[in-house]
Amino acid sequence: MSKKVLSRFFYERPTLEVAKELLGKLLVRMWDGKRISGIIIETEAYIGEDDPACHASVGKTPRNCIMYGQAGFAYVYFIYGMYFCLNVVTERYGFPAAVLIRALEPVEGIEWMKKWRNKDKLSELTSGPGKLTQALFITKELNGVDLCDANGILFIEEFDSKIGKDFIATPRIGIDKGKDKLWRFCCRNNPFVSTL
DNA sequence: TATTGGATCGCC
DNA sequence: GCGATCCAATAG
């Protein structure tokens, strides 16, 4: 079952390429020796200080400084008083960019997801950025962890290369600025996307 | 030090 | 449609 963990090189590339190619990969969260995982089926790109929707549009701050660091690390932040969002840092050191993981298709540890989400319906477990962090128990404690560490508690593996091929690009969700950019990518006809 | 609003979700 | 709920960023 163990597959290849994505290397640093995968993330050290243009953010739009990373965002598209993350579709179909497997996000794995280790908890108490168990694997809790899902296929990434929806992502969004946030690129540089010139992107008005990117947290780095205000410059480097204590919150967003992870985005300015090396690619392949997790940027987790708290939002709306109750939820977390998971991003993966991309591009070169010093350039702030990341990909937001917006939705997963549950694969392993589904019983734990149901417990932590307090929901039974499969389509309610990971069909949104706040939902999937709750389902995989991803909190601010995981901000800054190295996703390239195969022995770590959060990483991304190769999965099924066919799944991410058929995708559509749309404007990003839940933001006012930067609506002209089609920087949200989701697998076509997948029931686990956050919004149609 | 005070105020404001957010890359959301779930219930009304 | 709107309230929950709190932290980061900005204004003063």
Side-chain angles (χ1 to χ4, degrees):
Chain A
M1 189 65 203
S2 186
K3 307 215 178 182
K4 194 177 175 218
V5 172
L6 300 184
S7 74
R8 188 89 51 213
F9 300 109
F10 178 88
Y11 302 100
E12 290 176 328
R13 294 184 298 150
T15 307
L16 294 178
E17 286 182 24
V18 178
K20 293 174 199 173
E21 292 184 27
L22 276 173
L23 298 176
K25 301 292 192 289
L26 192 72
L27 175 66
V28 183
R29 201 272 197 245
M30 298 302 296
W31 188 80
D32 195 25
K34 303 175 191 60
R35 286 167 60 97
I36 301 159
S37 70
I39 307 164
I40 298 171
I41 52 109
E42 181 178 342
T43 62
E44 275 178 6
Y46 291 87
I47 310 175
E49 297 182 346
D50 293 334
D51 174 5
C54 183
H55 284 177
S57 63
V58 296
K60 191 173 181 177
T61 68
R63 178 171 69 152
N64 66 28
C65 65
I66 293 287
M67 273 203 291
Y68 285 77
Q70 195 175 29
F73 284 77
Y75 171 42
V76 181
Y77 66 89
F78 189 59
I79 190 73
Y80 296 123
M82 28 176 43
Y83 298 106
F84 295 97
C85 286
L86 169 67
N87 300 250
V88 301
V89 177
T90 59
E91 314 228 12
R92 68 178 189 277
Y93 184 91
F95 183 85
V99 175
L100 169 68
I101 309 298
R102 282 195 60 88
L104 306 174
E105 180 173 332
V107 175
E108 300 168 281
I110 292 175
E111 291 311 307
W112 289 103
M113 295 186 192
K114 288 180 177 176
K115 184 178 174 182
W116 288 330
R117 287 277 298 133
N118 198 26
K119 301 271 181 206
D120 255 1
K121 207 174 162 196
L122 207 56
S123 62
E124 288 296 317
L125 297 179
T126 54
S127 54
K131 297 179 190 176
L132 73 89
T133 53
Q134 196 173 38
L136 272 63
F137 196 50
I138 294 168
T139 67
K140 66 162 65 170
E141 313 299 314
L142 297 190
N143 186 38
V145 303
D146 187 358
L147 300 170
C148 302
D149 180 3
N151 297 311
I153 52 179
L154 191 65
F155 48 85
I156 302 175
E157 295 178 347
E158 299 284 356
F159 191 68
D160 185 339
S161 58
K162 294 188 296 293
I163 295 175
K165 291 282 195 269
D166 188 19
F167 65 87
I168 58 173
T170 78
R172 292 169 291 182
I173 306 294
I175 56 166
D176 296 327
K177 308 231 171 220
K179 278 249 169 67
D180 55 315
K181 303 287 198 296
L182 302 182
W183 286 356
R184 168 176 177 253
F185 307 100
C186 55
C187 293
R188 195 190 305 271
N189 300 325
N190 188 299
F192 297 96
V193 298
S194 65
T195 310
L196 299 177

